[in-house]
Structure formats: structure tokens, C-alpha cells
Short mmCIF file of all heavy atoms in Angstrom, two decimals:
data_model
loop_
_atom_site.label_atom_id
_atom_site.label_comp_id
_atom_site.label_asym_id
_atom_site.label_seq_id
_atom_site.Cartn_x
_atom_site.Cartn_y
_atom_site.Cartn_z
N GLU A 1451 10.24 -0.73 -9.30
CA GLU A 1451 9.79 0.63 -9.56
C GLU A 1451 8.28 0.75 -9.38
O GLU A 1451 7.78 1.74 -8.82
CB GLU A 1451 10.18 1.04 -10.98
CG GLU A 1451 9.78 2.46 -11.38
CD GLU A 1451 10.50 3.54 -10.58
OE1 GLU A 1451 11.46 3.22 -9.86
OE2 GLU A 1451 10.08 4.71 -10.66
N SER A 1452 7.54 -0.26 -9.80
CA SER A 1452 6.08 -0.24 -9.65
C SER A 1452 5.68 -0.23 -8.18
O SER A 1452 4.79 0.52 -7.76
CB SER A 1452 5.46 -1.44 -10.36
OG SER A 1452 5.64 -1.37 -11.76
N PHE A 1453 6.33 -1.07 -7.38
CA PHE A 1453 6.02 -1.08 -5.95
C PHE A 1453 6.46 0.23 -5.29
O PHE A 1453 5.77 0.75 -4.41
CB PHE A 1453 6.71 -2.28 -5.27
CG PHE A 1453 5.97 -3.58 -5.43
CD1 PHE A 1453 6.37 -4.52 -6.37
CD2 PHE A 1453 4.87 -3.86 -4.63
CE1 PHE A 1453 5.68 -5.72 -6.52
CE2 PHE A 1453 4.18 -5.06 -4.77
CZ PHE A 1453 4.58 -5.99 -5.72
N ARG A 1454 7.60 0.76 -5.71
CA ARG A 1454 8.12 2.00 -5.11
C ARG A 1454 7.19 3.18 -5.37
O ARG A 1454 6.97 4.02 -4.50
CB ARG A 1454 9.51 2.29 -5.65
CG ARG A 1454 10.21 3.46 -4.96
CD ARG A 1454 11.50 3.85 -5.66
NE ARG A 1454 11.25 4.44 -6.97
CZ ARG A 1454 10.87 5.69 -7.16
NH1 ARG A 1454 10.69 6.51 -6.13
NH2 ARG A 1454 10.66 6.16 -8.38
N THR A 1455 6.64 3.25 -6.57
CA THR A 1455 5.80 4.39 -6.95
C THR A 1455 4.34 4.20 -6.55
O THR A 1455 3.52 5.11 -6.72
CB THR A 1455 5.87 4.63 -8.47
OG1 THR A 1455 5.43 3.44 -9.16
CG2 THR A 1455 7.28 4.97 -8.90
N GLY A 1456 3.99 3.03 -6.02
CA GLY A 1456 2.62 2.79 -5.58
C GLY A 1456 1.65 2.48 -6.68
O GLY A 1456 0.43 2.59 -6.49
N SER A 1457 2.15 2.05 -7.84
CA SER A 1457 1.25 1.74 -8.95
C SER A 1457 0.71 0.32 -8.88
O SER A 1457 -0.07 -0.10 -9.74
CB SER A 1457 1.96 1.97 -10.29
OG SER A 1457 3.12 1.17 -10.40
N VAL A 1458 1.12 -0.43 -7.87
CA VAL A 1458 0.59 -1.77 -7.62
C VAL A 1458 -0.51 -1.67 -6.58
O VAL A 1458 -0.32 -1.07 -5.52
CB VAL A 1458 1.69 -2.73 -7.12
CG1 VAL A 1458 1.12 -4.10 -6.83
CG2 VAL A 1458 2.83 -2.83 -8.13
N THR A 1459 -1.68 -2.24 -6.88
CA THR A 1459 -2.79 -2.25 -5.92
C THR A 1459 -2.72 -3.54 -5.11
O THR A 1459 -2.79 -4.63 -5.66
CB THR A 1459 -4.15 -2.16 -6.64
OG1 THR A 1459 -4.20 -0.94 -7.39
CG2 THR A 1459 -5.29 -2.16 -5.63
N LYS A 1460 -2.58 -3.40 -3.80
CA LYS A 1460 -2.44 -4.56 -2.90
C LYS A 1460 -3.59 -4.57 -1.90
O LYS A 1460 -3.80 -3.59 -1.18
CB LYS A 1460 -1.10 -4.49 -2.15
CG LYS A 1460 0.12 -4.55 -3.03
CD LYS A 1460 1.40 -4.27 -2.26
CE LYS A 1460 1.51 -2.80 -1.90
NZ LYS A 1460 2.78 -2.48 -1.21
N LYS A 1461 -4.33 -5.66 -1.88
CA LYS A 1461 -5.41 -5.80 -0.92
C LYS A 1461 -5.18 -7.03 -0.04
O LYS A 1461 -4.81 -8.09 -0.53
CB LYS A 1461 -6.76 -5.91 -1.63
CG LYS A 1461 -7.15 -4.60 -2.33
CD LYS A 1461 -8.56 -4.63 -2.86
CE LYS A 1461 -8.92 -3.28 -3.50
NZ LYS A 1461 -10.30 -3.26 -4.01
N TYR A 1462 -5.39 -6.82 1.25
CA TYR A 1462 -5.20 -7.86 2.25
C TYR A 1462 -6.52 -8.15 2.94
O TYR A 1462 -7.38 -7.27 3.06
CB TYR A 1462 -4.20 -7.41 3.31
CG TYR A 1462 -2.77 -7.29 2.84
CD1 TYR A 1462 -2.38 -6.26 1.99
CD2 TYR A 1462 -1.79 -8.18 3.27
CE1 TYR A 1462 -1.06 -6.14 1.57
CE2 TYR A 1462 -0.47 -8.06 2.86
CZ TYR A 1462 -0.11 -7.04 2.01
OH TYR A 1462 1.18 -6.91 1.58
N TRP A 1463 -6.67 -9.38 3.42
CA TRP A 1463 -7.81 -9.73 4.27
C TRP A 1463 -7.29 -10.00 5.66
O TRP A 1463 -6.32 -10.75 5.84
CB TRP A 1463 -8.55 -10.94 3.72
CG TRP A 1463 -9.48 -10.61 2.59
CD1 TRP A 1463 -9.52 -9.46 1.85
CD2 TRP A 1463 -10.50 -11.45 2.05
NE1 TRP A 1463 -10.50 -9.52 0.90
CE2 TRP A 1463 -11.12 -10.74 0.99
CE3 TRP A 1463 -10.95 -12.73 2.36
CZ2 TRP A 1463 -12.18 -11.27 0.24
CZ3 TRP A 1463 -12.00 -13.26 1.61
CH2 TRP A 1463 -12.61 -12.53 0.57
N ALA A 1464 -7.93 -9.38 6.64
CA ALA A 1464 -7.56 -9.57 8.04
C ALA A 1464 -8.77 -10.10 8.81
O ALA A 1464 -9.86 -9.52 8.73
CB ALA A 1464 -7.10 -8.24 8.64
N LEU A 1465 -8.57 -11.20 9.51
CA LEU A 1465 -9.61 -11.76 10.36
C LEU A 1465 -9.37 -11.24 11.77
O LEU A 1465 -8.35 -11.55 12.38
CB LEU A 1465 -9.56 -13.28 10.31
CG LEU A 1465 -10.75 -14.05 10.88
CD1 LEU A 1465 -12.05 -13.65 10.18
CD2 LEU A 1465 -10.53 -15.55 10.77
N CYS A 1466 -10.28 -10.40 12.24
CA CYS A 1466 -10.04 -9.66 13.48
C CYS A 1466 -10.96 -10.13 14.62
O CYS A 1466 -12.03 -10.69 14.39
CB CYS A 1466 -10.25 -8.17 13.25
SG CYS A 1466 -9.04 -7.46 12.09
N CYS A 1467 -10.50 -9.87 15.84
CA CYS A 1467 -11.25 -10.27 17.02
C CYS A 1467 -12.42 -9.33 17.30
O CYS A 1467 -13.34 -9.69 18.04
CB CYS A 1467 -10.32 -10.30 18.23
SG CYS A 1467 -8.90 -11.41 18.04
N GLU A 1468 -12.37 -8.12 16.75
CA GLU A 1468 -13.42 -7.13 16.98
C GLU A 1468 -13.91 -6.56 15.65
O GLU A 1468 -13.16 -6.48 14.68
CB GLU A 1468 -12.89 -5.97 17.85
CG GLU A 1468 -12.33 -6.39 19.20
CD GLU A 1468 -10.84 -6.74 19.13
OE1 GLU A 1468 -10.22 -6.56 18.06
OE2 GLU A 1468 -10.31 -7.21 20.16
N LYS A 1469 -15.17 -6.17 15.64
CA LYS A 1469 -15.75 -5.53 14.46
C LYS A 1469 -15.41 -4.05 14.49
O LYS A 1469 -15.48 -3.41 15.55
CB LYS A 1469 -17.27 -5.73 14.46
CG LYS A 1469 -17.97 -5.25 13.21
CD LYS A 1469 -19.46 -5.59 13.27
CE LYS A 1469 -20.19 -5.13 12.02
NZ LYS A 1469 -21.64 -5.48 12.08
N PRO A 1470 -15.02 -3.46 13.34
CA PRO A 1470 -14.70 -2.03 13.37
C PRO A 1470 -15.92 -1.18 13.68
O PRO A 1470 -17.04 -1.51 13.32
CB PRO A 1470 -14.18 -1.76 11.95
CG PRO A 1470 -14.77 -2.85 11.11
CD PRO A 1470 -14.87 -4.05 12.01
N GLU A 1471 -15.70 -0.07 14.36
CA GLU A 1471 -16.79 0.82 14.74
C GLU A 1471 -17.47 1.39 13.50
O GLU A 1471 -18.69 1.51 13.44
CB GLU A 1471 -16.23 1.95 15.61
CG GLU A 1471 -17.29 2.83 16.23
CD GLU A 1471 -16.69 3.83 17.20
OE1 GLU A 1471 -15.85 3.44 18.02
OE2 GLU A 1471 -17.06 5.01 17.10
N LYS A 1472 -16.67 1.74 12.49
CA LYS A 1472 -17.19 2.21 11.22
C LYS A 1472 -16.99 1.12 10.17
O LYS A 1472 -15.96 0.44 10.17
CB LYS A 1472 -16.47 3.49 10.79
CG LYS A 1472 -16.68 4.66 11.73
CD LYS A 1472 -15.92 5.89 11.26
CE LYS A 1472 -16.12 7.07 12.21
NZ LYS A 1472 -15.36 8.26 11.76
N PRO A 1473 -17.94 0.94 9.25
CA PRO A 1473 -17.83 -0.15 8.27
C PRO A 1473 -16.70 0.02 7.27
O PRO A 1473 -16.35 -0.93 6.56
CB PRO A 1473 -19.19 -0.15 7.58
CG PRO A 1473 -19.71 1.23 7.76
CD PRO A 1473 -19.20 1.69 9.10
N GLY A 1474 -16.16 1.19 7.17
CA GLY A 1474 -15.06 1.43 6.24
C GLY A 1474 -14.47 2.80 6.48
O GLY A 1474 -15.05 3.64 7.19
N GLY A 1475 -13.29 3.00 5.91
CA GLY A 1475 -12.68 4.31 6.09
C GLY A 1475 -11.24 4.35 5.63
O GLY A 1475 -10.71 3.38 5.07
N HIS A 1476 -10.64 5.50 5.87
CA HIS A 1476 -9.25 5.75 5.50
C HIS A 1476 -8.46 6.04 6.77
O HIS A 1476 -8.90 6.86 7.59
CB HIS A 1476 -9.16 6.94 4.54
CG HIS A 1476 -7.76 7.34 4.19
ND1 HIS A 1476 -7.00 6.65 3.28
CD2 HIS A 1476 -6.99 8.38 4.62
CE1 HIS A 1476 -5.81 7.24 3.17
NE2 HIS A 1476 -5.78 8.29 3.97
N LEU A 1477 -7.33 5.37 6.95
CA LEU A 1477 -6.50 5.58 8.13
C LEU A 1477 -5.16 6.19 7.73
O LEU A 1477 -4.52 5.72 6.79
CB LEU A 1477 -6.25 4.26 8.87
CG LEU A 1477 -7.47 3.49 9.39
CD1 LEU A 1477 -7.01 2.22 10.10
CD2 LEU A 1477 -8.31 4.36 10.32
N GLU A 1478 -4.77 7.23 8.45
CA GLU A 1478 -3.45 7.81 8.30
C GLU A 1478 -2.84 7.96 9.69
O GLU A 1478 -3.44 8.57 10.57
CB GLU A 1478 -3.49 9.18 7.61
CG GLU A 1478 -3.87 9.10 6.14
CD GLU A 1478 -3.59 10.41 5.39
OE1 GLU A 1478 -2.88 11.28 5.97
OE2 GLU A 1478 -4.08 10.55 4.26
N ASN A 1479 -1.69 7.33 9.89
CA ASN A 1479 -1.00 7.40 11.17
C ASN A 1479 0.50 7.54 10.93
O ASN A 1479 1.02 7.07 9.92
CB ASN A 1479 -1.24 6.13 12.00
CG ASN A 1479 -2.70 5.87 12.30
OD1 ASN A 1479 -3.31 5.01 11.68
ND2 ASN A 1479 -3.27 6.60 13.24
N TRP A 1480 1.16 8.15 11.89
CA TRP A 1480 2.63 8.19 11.88
C TRP A 1480 3.12 7.00 12.70
O TRP A 1480 2.71 6.82 13.85
CB TRP A 1480 3.14 9.51 12.44
CG TRP A 1480 2.85 10.65 11.50
CD1 TRP A 1480 1.72 11.40 11.43
CD2 TRP A 1480 3.71 11.12 10.47
NE1 TRP A 1480 1.81 12.32 10.42
CE2 TRP A 1480 3.03 12.19 9.81
CE3 TRP A 1480 5.00 10.78 10.02
CZ2 TRP A 1480 3.58 12.89 8.73
CZ3 TRP A 1480 5.55 11.47 8.96
CH2 TRP A 1480 4.85 12.51 8.32
N LEU A 1481 3.97 6.18 12.10
CA LEU A 1481 4.47 4.97 12.75
C LEU A 1481 5.95 5.08 13.05
O LEU A 1481 6.74 5.54 12.22
CB LEU A 1481 4.23 3.74 11.87
CG LEU A 1481 2.78 3.42 11.46
CD1 LEU A 1481 2.73 2.08 10.75
CD2 LEU A 1481 1.84 3.44 12.66
#
């Protein structure tokens, strides 16, 4: 129920080949 309702805060680290154009932000996409 906690995962379903989004009350769990999950943070991931990604090691990427490119540096993001902006240092931070919010992404919303339809997948």
C-alpha cells in the first residue's frame, strides 16, 4: 500500500555517459 500510494521516497544514482544540460529538474513523459 505504501509503494502503491507513493508514500515511499526512492532515490537512485545513475552513472551516465553525458552530463545533463540542466543541473536539475523535473521530467514528465508519457511512456
Side-chain angles (χ1 to χ4, degrees):
E1451 181 65 11
S1452 294
F1453 279 101
R1454 187 189 68 80
T1455 59
S1457 59
V1458 178
T1459 300
K1460 297 172 287 183
K1461 292 188 178 181
Y1462 290 72
W1463 280 14
L1465 194 57
C1466 295
C1467 302
E1468 303 88 5
K1469 187 176 180 179
E1471 189 174 314
K1472 297 179 180 179
H1476 175 77
L1477 300 180
E1478 291 194 13
N1479 301 103
W1480 289 87
L1481 302 187

